[in-house]
Amino acid sequence: DAKTTQPPSMDCAEGRAANLPCNHSTISGNEYVYWYRQIHSQGPQYIIHGLKNNETNEMASLIITEDRKSSTLILPHATLRDTAVYYCIVRVDLVLSNFGNEKLTFGTGTRLTIIP
Amino acid sequence: EPEVTQTPSHQVTQMGQEVILRCVPISNHLYFYWYRQILGQKVEFLVSFYNNEISEKSEIFDDQFSVERPDGSNFTLKIRSTKLEDSAMYFCASSEAWTGGFHTEAFFGQGTRLTVV
């Protein structure tokens, strides 16, 4: 799986959009970008994933550059409960990853602090 | 909303003792995982389990560790002869089996904090 690079920490004011960048310059064509977060040593929580198109769900938006070498997770209206470590993970699609094995390789992530 | 349940939330054990960490995955999930996180460090993959056998394991998962699905609902991690360096948060996770799409999501439990003294 491709390696990712994230800033170690970021701050964002409550109510503003939080934009978390991730570099994955060695990503290959069959690899997806996944985002998980971990709130204060709880179990990681899935946020969103994408291949090449921008994606949006009830939690966040994911913007992937055209060359797929970087992406940005956007939390549109950050709240104090969004304070967490955010992990950008690149992994192969399921056809190549043993049909459903969701093994994840976590990096150090970005510690996002939402400031009141 | 369905969730992965882990017990106990905190376990203290003496060095050299055996511990069993328990997990109840989401009921229709078929893939099960154990991860660990040593305080201040990354979340590390230990093992994945499917169809009553290990499908993948990391270098960390040596002979000291074993997993079992003793019945239709529980998934356990046994650590034999615990060492001080086994102190960590252990997370269980589960996911659906692939059904033709390109994504399944891993759901994590809240973890068991293991302290070896």
Side-chain angles (χ1 to χ4, degrees), chain A residues 32 34 36 38 41-46 49 87 91 93-95 97-108, chain B residues 31 33 35 37 42-43 45 48 55-56 89 91 95-98 101-111 113:
Chain A
Y32 283 70
Y34 280 69
Y36 277 75
Q38 187 177 24
S41 295
Q42 295 179 21
Q45 177 191 24
Y46 165 83
H49 77 286
Y87 300 100
R91 61 182 301 275
D93 69 46
L94 297 184
V95 176
S97 69
N98 198 21
F99 287 86
N101 187 341
E102 284 287 322
K103 170 196 168 185
L104 298 165
T105 301
F106 289 86
T108 53
Chain B
Y31 267 98
Y33 315 83
Y35 290 77
Q37 187 174 32
K42 300 177 187 179
V43 178
F45 169 78
S48 59
S55 57
E56 188 172 357
M89 183 75 88
F91 294 108
S95 64
E96 294 179 283
W98 185 64
F102 290 99
H103 161 69
T104 62
E105 172 189 338
F107 290 81
F108 286 77
Q110 293 304 295
R113 183 171 298 284

Side-chain angles (χ1 to χ4, degrees), chain A residues 28-112:
Chain A
S28 60
N30 60 5
E31 290 182 313
Y32 283 70
V33 180
Y34 280 69
W35 284 82
Y36 277 75
R37 73 180 181 184
Q38 187 177 24
I39 297 173
H40 190 55
S41 295
Q42 295 179 21
Q45 177 191 24
Y46 165 83
I47 302 172
I48 198 167
H49 77 286
L51 181 63
K52 54 184 178 181
N53 298 319
N54 298 339
E55 302 288 345
T56 296
N57 64 19
E58 64 278 4
M59 289 182 68
S61 295
L62 175 60
I63 308 298
I64 302 174
T65 58
E66 194 167 339
D67 63 8
R68 302 209 324 120
K69 293 185 177 181
S70 66
S71 60
T72 301
L73 177 74
I74 301 173
L75 308 178
H77 305 287
T79 70
L80 298 178
R81 288 174 295 181
D82 292 322
T83 292
V85 178
Y86 287 77
Y87 300 100
C88 171
I89 299 170
V90 173
R91 61 182 301 275
V92 297
D93 69 46
L94 297 184
V95 176
L96 297 179
S97 69
N98 198 21
F99 287 86
N101 187 341
E102 284 287 322
K103 170 196 168 185
L104 298 165
T105 301
F106 289 86
T108 53
T110 295
R111 182 172 297 279
L112 175 67

